[in-house]
Amino acid sequence: MLWQKGALVLVNAHILGTGAYAPKRILTNQYLAELVDTTDAWITGRTGIKQRRIAAEGEVTSDMAVIAARHALAMAATKAEDLDMIIVATVSADMPLPSCAVIVQAKLGAARAFAFDVSAACAGSLYGLSIAGQFIQTGKARRVLVIGAELLSRLVDWSDRNTCILFGDAAGAMIVGPAHDRRRGLLSTHLHSDGTAAEILSIPGGGSQHPQSAEVLARKMDKIAMNGREIYKFAVRVLPEVILEALDANGLHVSDIDHIVPHQANARIVESVLGRLGIPLEKCWMNLDRYGNTSSASLPISLDEANRAGRLKPGDLIAMMAIGAGMTWGSALMRW
Ligand code: UT7
């Protein structure tokens, strides 16, 4: 935040570096077809997923987060010691207490930063980016590390074909700082939640309502429970709305969007949202076929891949969108 001629001037927040990491081990649809009653054709046709990555034994969420963070720090030419703030968006932290973010802080040696987790499921990175943006805009922080990291393979019931085909492990990271050029950076974020839909995607056991017990384990209440059809309907309704809301707030139009960077849960959801908005699929970076749904990691991984592939040119308008358990959803518009 700057005072210029007696007026308060907000600084634009920008993404200065991106990074990603996915474990080496690949789990194919063919392999899943040996575990549960499913086929490669069903999974590919209904979701667009061909394979997903699974963390190695002993590998934990913060390990993945730290590797993604180091890539992002290197791109931003930023030292870990210079970070003011670390946000980790995750629902699959190393342990319930303390946060994954403080463990990441320690592993990176980011001694100056304060660190906390954000629990907004697949929309978590977008929530994190929004928080980081506010701190940068007001001058309260100059370098913020935002990470989306999920190790969902340990929260999936591997005998449930409704869920085990969908998820993968990964981490993505963004370094957020002040934009040098006032015409570039984060234009807006719009976040929403609807807790009345909490039951359609949850891990019902292991918290204060159903503390860990033999019964919770026996009933697999510590695993992801999902009503996929309801999530699907919710997503294709609210995601176009939140993109239009963002465009409207900035006086922009659908045709102004150069790139869509989505949270990738299901290729059909993304296709339907883009179809409703009249945005060609070529404008959207897709990697769901290779990673599956990596929840909060999905958006920063996609951004990193598009960035490193040279797809994002200075001045391009990027629309990000995500939806997750809660329900939580939102959008971010950024002038790259
Ligand atoms: O990041 C947010 C996290 N979650 C999501 O985004 C999930 C969003 N939803 C989806 O992606 C889709 O709803 C799914 C891919 C999960 C399911 O696709 P669908 O077209 O909505 O299928 P459905 O749940 O309505 O099930 C249709 C049929 C059912 O059989 P019956 O009742 O018609 O005989 C299911 O039992 O497909 C069956 N089915 C399967 N068949 C083969 C469900 N899972 C499988 C499977 N393989 N893996």
Side-chain angles (χ1 to χ4, degrees):
M1 190 156 59
L2 295 170
W3 286 97
Q4 279 179 6
K5 295 180 186 159
L8 201 56
V9 180
L10 292 177
V11 179
N12 263 8
H14 203 10
I15 293 176
L16 310 177
T18 58
Y21 168 79
K24 282 196 183 63
R25 192 172 146 213
I26 292 172
L27 189 65
T28 61
N29 290 350
Q30 285 82 1
Y31 185 86
L32 276 171
E34 292 173 23
L35 279 186
V36 290
D37 182 15
T38 191
T39 58
D40 173 39
W42 194 95
I43 301 171
T44 307
R46 298 282 180 127
T47 70
I49 300 167
K50 298 294 288 181
Q51 61 183 48
R52 66 288 292 144
R53 303 295 187 91
I54 305 294
E57 209 177 314
E59 192 171 26
V60 294
T61 310
S62 62
D63 294 332
M64 300 194 299
V66 163
I67 299 172
R70 289 207 171 106
H71 291 312
L73 284 165
M75 187 187 285
T78 298
K79 294 196 194 91
E81 306 90 82
D82 293 333
L83 291 171
D84 300 307
M85 180 174 170
I86 299 173
I87 303 171
V88 178
T90 188
V91 293
S92 51
D94 296 12
M95 56 190 86
L97 186 77
S99 69
C100 191
V102 296
I103 298 169
V104 168
Q105 181 213 13
K107 288 183 177 175
L108 285 175
R112 281 187 50 241
F114 64 95
F116 59 95
D117 287 359
V118 164
S119 176
C122 304
S125 295
L126 206 52
Y127 274 51
L129 178 62
S130 181
I131 297 167
Q134 313 298 314
F135 273 77
I136 298 294
Q137 268 197 321
T138 54
K140 287 283 180 191
R142 287 194 58 80
R143 287 292 180 276
V144 182
L145 168 60
V146 180
I147 300 173
E150 302 286 8
L151 211 159
L152 294 177
S153 64
R154 292 192 193 138
L155 298 177
V156 158
D157 173 1
W158 287 100
S159 65
D160 176 12
R161 69 176 184 174
N162 285 304
T163 53
C164 76
I165 56 141
L166 284 178
F167 299 104
D169 302 333
M174 303 174 273
I175 305 294
V176 186
H180 298 302
D181 181 341
R182 277 191 51 76
R183 290 161 301 180
R184 291 168 61 191
L186 199 56
L187 303 181
S188 65
T189 55
H190 288 83
L191 307 179
H192 297 277
S193 307
D194 181 359
T196 65
E199 280 184 6
I200 63 178
L201 181 51
S202 67
I203 298 174
S208 61
Q209 190 177 0
H210 299 290
Q212 206 58 272
S213 68
E215 194 200 346
V216 163
L217 293 179
R219 292 174 61 194
K220 296 187 173 169
M221 291 167 72
D222 57 333
K223 303 296 181 194
I224 295 171
M226 185 182 84
N227 182 336
R229 179 56 57 99
E230 286 306 312
I231 297 168
Y232 192 101
K233 286 194 286 190
F234 202 105
V236 298
R237 176 170 58 83
V238 301
L239 287 175
E241 285 172 8
V242 80
I243 291 287
L244 293 176
E245 182 183 19
L247 290 169
D248 192 42
N250 289 283
L252 293 164
H253 305 283
V254 168
S255 57
D256 293 321
I257 295 175
D258 296 301
H259 309 278
I260 289 272
V261 178
H263 158 55
Q264 308 194 18
N266 181 323
R268 283 161 53 221
I269 293 179
V270 176
E271 285 160 16
S272 168
V273 171
L274 297 198
R276 285 176 191 216
L277 289 167
I279 298 176
L281 271 178
E282 304 79 69
K283 288 193 175 183
C284 185
W285 186 270
M286 292 298 287
N287 55 22
L288 187 82
D289 54 328
R290 289 176 283 129
Y291 299 119
N293 178 350
T294 59
S295 188
S296 67
S298 153
L299 193 149
I301 288 177
S302 305
L303 188 69
D304 182 60
E305 285 194 345
N307 190 16
R308 286 176 196 268
R311 280 275 284 266
L312 315 177
K313 308 286 181 225
D316 279 359
L317 185 68
I318 303 174
M320 307 180 207
M321 60 180 186
I323 182 157
M327 297 301 284
T328 55
W329 69 101
S331 65
L333 273 189
M334 173 162 272
R335 187 68 73 186
W336 195 251

